[in-house]
Amino acid sequence: MPVELSNKEIQTIVLQELKKAENVWKQVEPRLYRDGGTINEDLEKSIHTQIPSHAIVRPGIPQVAEFIAMILDIRDSSKHLTQRISSRIAKVTNLERVLYETTAVFAACSLIVERHRGGVTEYLGDRVLSLCHLPQAPQAKRKEEIRNAYRAAERCLNAVNTIVN
């Protein structure tokens, strides 16, 4: 049985990650824009991919396993790039706002998925793809892993609604 996280623990992690995001923003903002003020699309982003129970994946050596996949999508995040937020609510740019929103959601959900024995394998724009390994095991063990994956998904939605929002 995974160790459950309290809302307070998730909130603490989210706040720590938001602070890191703020520092990252201060460092990269000047490099994000071209002289004309448009986004520099030539920037490359490199993200490490993790597959639960498969720490090393070698080209040409296939491995077969069963997984439960979960995709979390932040609805309408692209609209946030074009919709102004009132300066009474927050003094941030639209792009900065999207960075902070995705950082908070990604931090909370990554932590929750990892605590439920899964792993985030990719960040796809405003989406998180995570996998939970479904081992070749007796039926009771497989059912427990399925319930565990369900709990992770439920907890992610809960965290986004109660903490991040």
Side-chain angles (χ1 to χ4, degrees):
M1 183 69 101
V3 176
E4 286 295 323
L5 294 166
S6 69
N7 280 354
K8 182 75 175 156
E9 290 172 307
I10 295 170
Q11 186 176 26
T12 299
I13 294 297
V14 166
L15 292 174
Q16 288 171 352
E17 292 302 315
L18 283 172
K19 188 66 179 165
K20 288 179 192 174
E22 208 172 334
N23 291 331
V24 167
W25 179 260
K26 288 174 186 173
Q27 292 173 21
V28 302
E29 182 186 20
R31 295 183 300 173
L32 288 176
Y33 298 97
R34 291 189 178 126
D35 292 335
T38 60
I39 295 283
N40 183 351
E41 295 174 10
D42 299 329
L43 294 175
E44 292 185 358
K45 191 174 177 182
S46 173
I47 298 175
H48 178 71
T49 300
Q50 262 186 321
I51 300 174
S53 302
H54 292 77
I56 298 173
V57 177
R58 293 186 176 93
I61 304 173
Q63 296 181 34
V64 178
E66 289 183 271
F67 296 94
I68 297 169
M70 178 178 76
I71 298 174
L72 184 133
D73 181 27
I74 303 172
R75 289 286 173 213
D76 297 326
S77 66
S78 298
K79 279 186 186 177
H80 293 177
L81 288 171
T82 59
Q83 293 176 335
R84 287 271 174 225
I85 187 169
S86 169
S87 60
R88 289 174 297 161
I89 296 171
K91 294 188 185 320
V92 297
T93 66
N94 296 359
L95 186 57
E96 189 176 1
R97 174 182 166 198
V98 171
L99 171 69
Y100 296 157
E101 289 171 352
T102 54
T103 296
V105 170
F106 290 178
C109 292
S110 296
L111 182 63
I112 291 166
V113 166
E114 287 172 14
R115 290 285 175 100
H116 285 80
R117 294 190 295 272
V120 170
T121 59
E122 292 183 63
Y123 297 100
L124 309 160
D126 66 347
R127 293 177 298 278
V128 176
L129 172 63
S130 59
L131 298 174
C132 294
H133 185 234
L134 192 56
Q136 295 297 320
Q139 196 63 21
K141 175 71 174 160
R142 288 172 65 85
K143 283 183 181 179
E144 177 58 29
E145 291 302 321
I146 292 168
R147 281 191 292 272
N148 203 30
Y150 173 81
R151 283 187 214 106
E154 186 176 51
R155 188 74 173 115
C156 283
L157 292 175
N158 226 3
V160 169
N161 287 331
T162 61
I163 298 168
V164 177
N165 283 346

